[in-house]
Amino acid sequence: MRGLWPPFFVIILLSFLSVSAVYCSSLLHLERAFPLKNHGLELHQLRARDRLRHARLLQGFVGGVVDFSVQGSSDPYLVGLYFTKVKLGSPPREFKVQIDTGSDVLWVCCNSCNNCPRTSGLGIQLNFFDPSSSSTAGQVRCSDPICTSAVQTTATQCSSQTDQCSYTFQYGDGSGTSGYYVSDTLYFDAILGDSLIANSSALIVFGCSAYQSGDLTKTDKAVDGIFGFGQGELSVISQLSTRGITPRVFSHCLKGEGNGGGILVLGEILEPGIVYSPLVPSQPHYNLNLQSITINGQLLPIDPAAFATSKSRGTIVDSGTTLTYLVAEAYDPFVSAVNAIVSPSVTPIISKGNQCYLVSTSVSQVFPLASFNFAGGASMVLKPEDYLIPSGSSGGSAIWCIGFQKVQGVSILGDLVLKDKIFVYDLVRQRIGWANYDCSLSVNVSVTSSKDFINAGQLSVSSTSRDIMLFELLPLTVMVFLMHILLHEFQFL
């Protein structure tokens, strides 16, 4: 009888086989958006929709890595928003919710919702949450500390008859949603330390919308709800990180071209080119200190006071806004500088009140680079496609329009400039980082604060664990050979 292999070697190999099987099922996969029909929205319609969400923006106030798929696009003529999927309840049911860094609360439509859309122009099936059908759903009572939390844009209410914690999100134009909070299970794939765990779950509090009004009742861009990624106590990132389930940092990479898609992860994407700017303290949104704008390296004549942060001014990063909005003091010099550079090569026109251009060649060959310069020496370089949007054609020339919109008060950086970039929201260090990136590629994501990382989209995991590192380096043929020998040895046991 042959000698048996050392027990520790058998255990390590079997452990590796188990771990590698989990790796295959729980990588940070990039989900591309499905083809979507052209909805043909005009700029004035996009501005109107953004105004509705801005009304609600201006009202009111380390453990593992969690991966979410991304669908949707920044193209206003296709989707004009990005959304992800969450699984809630027992048995779990899937909901498609808009990715929104401009609000805090995750909410989905309840089965009893009045005026909620029943169909979506995005070609997706809308689902409704039914607390009575979930074995793990629980009521959030008025005495619950969460019910007394100061939640952004939320008026918390309580009914003495039902002892149920409810909410109302009332927007400036009269549109909004109301409902009640429930406690139930959120399912996700997570990495905890150096072991990748599939089918993880956690109990969270989220909103069950029972009524919607205004823009939220429209079907053209309807989804199942909104996934708020703000810093408030009720945001999912806050609920999970305070319990050590995830790090207090999240990242996204939203693909702009084609059908869109991208990457969204509760964790820190690592990329050498990322630059960081500190968040303005004591603000309800992700406010950055924009200091200046340059066009082809030339500083625009803008009074820095135009960007100063106050209750009614400042610069906000908001993934829930389609376009980008600049205060008039910055918008006018920006457009004037662009016009001066491109006028010899294109034909400037005004189309439906927007500054547009007839372009017979590639915009990248004619239009200049712009740079938004923030506190901390962090600059955001914008390609022409980051401030222009295609708007059809005329006489054989393409029509491109300035995608920036002129406003008073608050400048908002929407998907137009957020796309095709890694964005990292580091809530521990209170900073936001970014870097231009092809969001169809894989990314490295930090597993721990020591910068161990996983590589999304590829079978590789860096770790301080020696056994995992050992087997990570083994070629597949060697692994199969070892498995064959091991199984052969077991025949003699």
Side-chain angles (χ1 to χ4, degrees):
M1 182 176 179
R2 297 182 184 179
L4 297 177
W5 285 10
F8 76 91
F9 189 85
V10 174
I11 293 172
I12 290 177
L13 184 54
L14 289 175
S15 299
F16 167 70
L17 296 178
S18 175
V19 170
S20 62
V22 177
Y23 286 165
C24 294
S25 63
S26 303
L27 293 173
L28 301 186
H29 295 297
L30 169 68
E31 287 204 17
R32 303 298 305 282
F34 42 77
L36 293 164
K37 64 183 180 180
N38 189 323
H39 295 271
L41 292 181
E42 301 291 347
L43 278 177
H44 74 276
Q45 294 174 291
L46 296 170
R47 284 197 300 267
R49 190 179 68 193
D50 282 341
R51 275 198 299 269
L52 300 185
R53 80 162 277 96
H54 295 166
R56 67 177 178 260
L57 278 175
L58 297 177
Q59 293 190 31
F61 48 163
V62 186
V65 171
V66 177
D67 165 46
F68 294 97
S69 63
V70 175
Q71 294 177 310
S73 168
S74 64
D75 187 339
Y77 300 108
L78 288 178
V79 186
L81 59 87
Y82 291 91
F83 56 96
T84 186
K85 296 180 288 187
V86 295
K87 292 182 179 180
L88 300 168
S90 300
R93 191 164 189 187
E94 187 174 274
F95 299 89
K96 296 177 177 66
V97 286
Q98 183 178 4
I99 301 167
D100 184 13
T101 61
S103 64
D104 289 335
V105 177
L106 166 64
W107 62 265
V108 296
C109 293
C110 265
N111 62 321
S112 59
C113 184
N114 292 320
N115 291 344
C116 288
R118 301 288 163 172
T119 61
S120 173
L122 299 179
I124 61 176
Q125 178 181 345
L126 299 181
N127 291 320
F128 297 84
F129 183 77
D130 182 2
S132 64
S133 297
S134 173
S135 62
T136 50
Q139 179 180 355
V140 178
R141 300 185 181 280
C142 294
S143 58
D144 194 297
I146 286 180
C147 198
T148 59
S149 299
V151 181
Q152 177 193 128
T153 69
T154 301
T156 302
Q157 304 166 345
C158 268
S159 169
S160 57
Q161 296 178 342
T162 62
D163 191 25
Q164 190 172 58
C165 184
S166 59
Y167 62 83
T168 298
F169 301 169
Q170 188 64 46
Y171 309 147
D173 66 337
S175 66
T177 181
S178 61
Y180 54 92
Y181 291 113
V182 295
S183 172
D184 209 342
T185 304
L186 169 71
Y187 297 87
F188 50 87
D189 291 341
I191 300 170
L192 302 177
D194 54 21
S195 297
L196 200 145
I197 303 174
N199 299 323
S200 299
S201 64
L203 200 63
I204 64 165
V205 172
F206 59 93
C208 196
S209 180
Y211 176 80
Q212 293 186 9
S213 62
D215 195 51
L216 290 175
T217 65
K218 296 181 179 179
T219 61
D220 58 338
K221 310 285 185 177
V223 289
D224 295 323
I226 292 179
F227 197 163
F229 278 86
Q231 301 186 64
E233 293 179 42
L234 277 183
S235 71
V236 171
I237 184 70
S238 293
Q239 292 188 59
L240 296 182
S241 63
T242 53
R243 286 180 277 168
I245 298 173
T246 67
R248 191 165 168 77
V249 55
F250 70 95
S251 312
H252 60 65
C253 194
L254 308 175
K255 192 174 188 307
E257 295 182 355
N259 288 326
I263 295 172
L264 171 64
V265 61
L266 304 191
E268 179 185 1
I269 293 180
L270 303 177
E271 174 63 24
I274 293 180
V275 295
Y276 286 90
S277 183
L279 287 167
V280 179
S282 304
Q283 296 298 314
H285 305 291
Y286 293 118
N287 285 69
L288 292 175
N289 184 5
L290 178 59
Q291 297 178 328
S292 65
I293 299 176
T294 59
I295 298 288
N296 272 355
Q298 298 298 310
L299 189 66
L300 298 184
I302 304 172
D303 185 350
F307 303 125
T309 300
S310 66
K311 284 188 176 181
S312 58
R313 299 184 73 89
T315 303
I316 295 172
V317 177
D318 177 29
S319 67
T321 290
T322 303
L323 304 173
T324 287
Y325 294 76
L326 283 182
V327 291
E329 300 94 318
Y331 176 88
D332 291 334
F334 182 91
V335 174
S336 296
V338 171
N339 286 344
I341 292 173
V342 304
S343 291
S345 304
V346 304
T347 303
I349 61 172
I350 300 298
S351 175
K352 300 177 181 177
N354 304 298
Q355 178 62 67
C356 301
Y357 309 89
L358 293 176
V359 184
S360 57
T361 184
S362 170
V363 293
S364 61
Q365 297 177 0
V366 179
F367 285 82
L369 293 176
S371 178
F372 284 10
N373 307 306
F374 296 86
S379 293
M380 186 183 300
V381 178
L382 305 179
K383 306 183 299 293
E385 294 85 356
D386 294 333
Y387 61 83
L388 297 171
I389 59 174
S391 301
S393 61
S394 176
S397 296
I399 300 176
W400 288 80
C401 297
I402 296 287
F404 292 173
Q405 305 298 303
K406 180 162 59 174
V407 294
Q408 300 293 329
V410 177
S411 296
I412 301 178
L413 307 183
D415 294 337
L416 182 62
V417 301
L418 302 185
K419 71 179 189 299
D420 300 320
K421 298 175 182 66
I422 291 171
F423 265 82
V424 177
Y425 301 74
D426 187 342
L427 307 186
V428 175
R429 299 177 179 86
Q430 285 293 289
R431 62 180 186 171
I432 291 181
W434 59 84
N436 289 333
Y437 198 76
D438 181 352
C439 297
S440 65
L441 301 177
S442 61
V443 295
N444 293 325
V445 182
S446 174
V447 173
T448 67
S449 58
S450 62
K451 302 298 183 183
D452 299 338
F453 67 89
I454 65 169
N455 185 267
Q458 298 179 8
L459 276 173
S460 62
V461 177
S462 292
S463 171
T464 55
S465 176
R466 292 184 178 181
D467 54 343
I468 294 181
M469 282 294 290
L470 167 65
F471 290 106
E472 177 189 357
L473 299 175
L474 288 175
L476 180 60
T477 53
V478 176
M479 290 162 32
V480 173
F481 177 71
L482 290 175
M483 290 171 59
H484 175 76
I485 294 177
L486 182 58
L487 292 173
H488 181 72
E489 290 287 346
F490 281 154
Q491 294 177 0
F492 294 91
L493 290 179

